[in-house]
Amino acid sequence: MAKKSSYQKAVERLNSSKKSWDKTANANYNRYATDYANQANTIYKRAVANNQATAKNSLNTAYVSNALANTRMNDNLKRQGITGGASETSVLNQANNYSNVQAGINNSLASNNTSAANTMNDNIANYNLTNNQNRNEELRTNKDRYYTQKQNAGN
């Protein structure tokens, strides 16, 4: 077997180095993407929890307002000297108003949670785009460095 020249040995070391550089660039890309996705998911979960707490508070407020409105309706009728309580139409209108308020709060919750999910996904996609561009730049730099050092090894 022929003895390897110093150039061949240098190129073999350089090939090994380039593989290591590229492996590091790809590992960093994957690690950064995972870390960012985890952070974005944590922020999303916080937003959903806040949205749910806000909706719960709004639903509680709507419940109390509805109960007070029903009580006041009967009290107002009594004060006016009207006996027999509220008409069925008045009671049904009040119940319908309460249902509409509940539906509005639940629709807002769903919309806010969808918005939070869309924001998270957009942020992750934008980060991954930038992270991928950075990795590609690092891989190009590694390639340039490889060819420069390979050329210098031959001189």
Side-chain angles (χ1 to χ4, degrees):
M1 180 159 93
K3 189 175 178 185
K4 293 183 181 178
S5 69
S6 60
Y7 173 76
Q8 288 172 322
K9 290 177 185 177
V11 169
E12 286 175 359
R13 284 191 305 273
L14 191 54
N15 287 340
S16 177
S17 293
K18 183 172 182 312
K19 285 179 186 175
S20 177
W21 301 332
D22 291 348
K23 183 178 179 181
T24 299
N26 288 319
N28 287 340
Y29 167 80
N30 292 330
R31 187 184 72 219
Y32 297 152
T34 300
D35 288 350
Y36 188 84
N38 289 338
Q39 290 172 357
N41 193 37
T42 298
I43 292 167
Y44 165 74
K45 286 179 180 177
R46 263 190 235 128
V48 167
N50 288 339
N51 293 341
Q52 289 171 331
T54 299
K56 182 179 179 182
N57 186 41
S58 296
L59 288 168
N60 287 340
T61 300
Y63 175 81
V64 170
S65 295
N66 182 58
L68 288 172
N70 285 334
T71 301
R72 288 181 186 141
M73 187 184 325
N74 288 328
D75 290 346
N76 288 338
L77 290 171
K78 285 179 188 174
R79 270 188 245 127
Q80 294 173 8
I82 301 172
T83 58
S87 70
E88 187 176 349
T89 302
S90 297
V91 172
L92 289 175
N93 282 340
Q94 183 59 36
N96 188 46
N97 289 341
Y98 177 56
S99 292
N100 288 339
V101 168
Q102 285 178 311
I105 292 168
N106 288 326
N107 287 340
S108 290
L109 173 62
S111 176
N112 290 341
N113 286 345
T114 298
S115 177
N118 289 341
T119 298
M120 176 189 69
N121 290 332
D122 289 347
N123 287 344
I124 289 173
N126 289 333
Y127 177 81
N128 285 340
L129 179 64
T130 301
N131 192 25
N132 191 45
Q133 289 169 341
N134 291 341
R135 177 187 57 174
N136 288 340
E137 182 60 31
E138 187 173 353
L139 293 173
R140 275 191 296 276
T141 300
N142 291 347
K143 187 176 179 181
D144 292 345
R145 180 169 54 165
Y146 169 80
Y147 284 116
T148 299
Q149 289 183 13
K150 185 176 179 182
Q151 183 179 11
N152 291 340
N155 294 330

